[in-house]
Amino acid sequence: MSIMSFPDRGPWGNAKWRGNCSGHVYRQLFEQILGRLERPVFIDPMMGSGTSIEVAKEMGITAYGLDLHQGFNILRNSIVEATGEQGNLVLSHPPYHGMIRYSGEVWGKEAHSDDLSRCVDDEDFHQKMHLAMLNQREATLPGGYYGCIIGDWRRNGVYTSYQAEIIARLPAQELAGVLIKAQHNATSNFQPYGKMDLPFIMHEYIVLFRRKTGTILAVLGAMACQAQRRLQGTWRNIVRSVLMKLGGKAPLSKIYEAVSASTDRINTNSSWREKIRQTLQLYPDFTSEERGVWGLA
Ligand SMILES: C[S@@+](CC[C@H](N)C(=O)[O-])C[C@H]1O[C@@H](n2cnc3c(N)ncnc32)[C@H](O)[C@@H]1O
């Protein structure tokens, strides 16, 4: 099932650990992903109260649990160095940004600067999660799975989709599945129903990637191509939509004017006029029958 809902968390881990996950979720994932393997190895680099590790051990799976609260820092220490072997499944359940703060609140007396629940802003969190996922990837056997359990967060009218940011930063060829997990203890989101346009977020995602063979540099290369294609595609669609607005045909000067009025993309790219010309020339979507005038093909 790609949708999971377990109101009961079971006897594993600690029910009082804020933001814990039901052990049944791990049980189902282990049955599905590790069930056919002879000697499955599972790694949770942010194990919290240890729910996943207890479930794994009960199922006879070799399991390694790490966490900042016992001195392992996913932003500074290599997972595979810490465990001594790669896993068939390397799954984390990170904090989502600052929804629940861990160091200094759930554990320890002081805030830890590398605690993922203490990032300065969303961008800081996205960057750090990316690093955490690359660390997890390195700790995954080729053909094995890595990923995370994470939700989205709406606050002050802004909806941040952490899972979408993670997917966008990792190699598309490795994305293997996105599962939905119902959240039964999402009380921290509580606001009176009548005041909300949109429903409470009552679910999290389990985002899974399958590690292909290939070095980190090959992955980075693929990711750079991915980003490049996306950027080019964005320019193509900006120019297309502007031409649509201009009736399907317009002189270059009008196209420049309309693009600069319709997007703030040009603030970050000083050679935007050149980019528009390049885009018009590159794609078969655009034709020019008279000098300096472009239309939709
Ligand atoms: C949502 S909790 C995990 C809960 C767990 N699944 C359970 O059921 O108990 C997230 C954990 O990530 C840990 N964490 C935060 N930053 C970390 C870092 N830089 N390295 C390793 N662990 C980190 C926190 O200490 C916390 O225990």
Side-chain angles (χ1 to χ4, degrees):
M1 276 279 280
S2 61
I3 302 179
M4 293 189 193
S5 178
F6 296 107
D8 164 37
R9 64 176 312 283
W12 311 279
N14 180 352
K16 294 206 182 83
W17 188 270
R18 292 197 62 207
N20 68 75
C21 177
S22 164
H24 294 289
V25 168
Y26 291 109
R27 174 172 271 281
Q28 187 163 318
L29 287 170
F30 296 159
E31 279 167 2
Q32 182 107 33
I33 298 174
L34 304 174
R36 285 179 297 264
L37 302 176
E38 219 162 88
R39 183 189 168 268
V41 176
F42 168 71
I43 302 171
D44 184 342
M46 303 186 211
M47 68 167 175
S49 69
T51 313
S52 61
I53 303 302
E54 286 180 27
V55 175
K57 290 199 168 148
E58 195 180 281
M59 292 172 73
I61 296 166
T62 303
Y64 299 95
L66 308 164
D67 198 291
L68 194 58
H69 66 59
Q70 35 105 302
F72 172 81
N73 181 349
I74 199 163
L75 304 177
R76 288 181 195 271
N77 312 124
S78 150
I79 297 170
V80 72
E81 284 283 312
T83 58
E85 67 173 323
Q86 289 176 307
N88 304 96
L89 173 63
V90 184
L91 184 67
S92 60
H93 180 207
Y96 359 138
H97 193 356
M99 189 182 268
I100 297 172
R101 296 199 187 275
Y102 286 90
S103 58
E105 290 188 21
V106 174
W107 56 261
K109 291 203 167 48
E110 281 169 25
H112 192 297
S113 59
D114 280 341
D115 178 352
L116 286 164
S117 68
R118 292 192 173 275
C119 291
V120 292
D121 55 22
D122 274 337
E123 194 49 42
D124 185 31
F125 181 78
H126 300 326
Q127 293 285 337
K128 287 178 175 163
M129 261 317 289
H130 183 217
L131 177 59
M133 294 300 289
L134 291 179
N135 196 349
Q136 286 185 224
R137 184 183 182 276
E138 282 303 300
T140 308
L141 286 158
Y145 293 87
Y146 63 99
C148 63
I149 304 176
I150 196 159
D152 293 338
W153 195 14
R154 186 191 292 115
R155 77 258 192 232
N156 308 326
V158 177
Y159 187 99
T160 311
S161 182
Y162 297 111
Q163 53 99 19
E165 295 286 340
I166 291 165
I167 292 173
R169 285 167 167 77
L170 287 164
Q173 321 89 285
E174 294 198 354
L175 184 64
V178 180
L179 319 184
I180 307 287
K181 164 187 170 295
Q183 231 185 334
H184 296 278
N185 53 358
T187 49
S188 55
N189 274 343
F190 192 80
Q191 283 177 38
Y193 272 110
K195 291 195 178 153
M196 291 177 64
D197 292 344
L198 293 162
F200 300 138
I201 304 170
M202 297 292 286
H203 66 282
E204 290 177 301
Y205 302 88
I206 301 169
V207 187
L208 293 169
F209 297 86
R210 184 162 206 190
R211 183 181 176 165
K212 297 209 155 111
T213 45
T215 63
I216 198 67
L217 279 182
V219 171
L220 288 176
M223 280 154 59
C225 290
Q226 203 172 295
Q228 179 66 18
R229 272 200 305 274
R230 231 172 242 166
L231 187 63
Q232 270 176 0
T234 305
W235 271 111
R236 179 184 189 173
N237 282 337
I238 287 175
V239 175
R240 267 193 82 116
S241 70
V242 154
L243 269 172
M244 280 155 67
K245 211 159 64 187
L246 294 173
K249 195 173 176 185
L252 205 47
S253 58
K254 282 265 175 255
I255 299 176
Y256 290 154
E257 209 176 281
V259 171
S260 68
S262 72
T263 174
D264 56 5
R265 174 163 291 280
I266 56 169
N267 294 340
T268 54
N269 187 344
S270 55
S271 56
W272 59 278
R273 287 189 184 82
E274 194 188 319
K275 195 75 210 163
I276 292 173
R277 285 197 303 279
Q278 231 178 49
T279 305
L280 286 164
Q281 276 152 14
L282 193 67
Y283 294 104
D285 319 30
F286 312 110
T287 66
S288 175
E289 278 155 25
E290 113 194 48
R291 206 178 145 74
V293 178
W294 284 87
L296 288 169

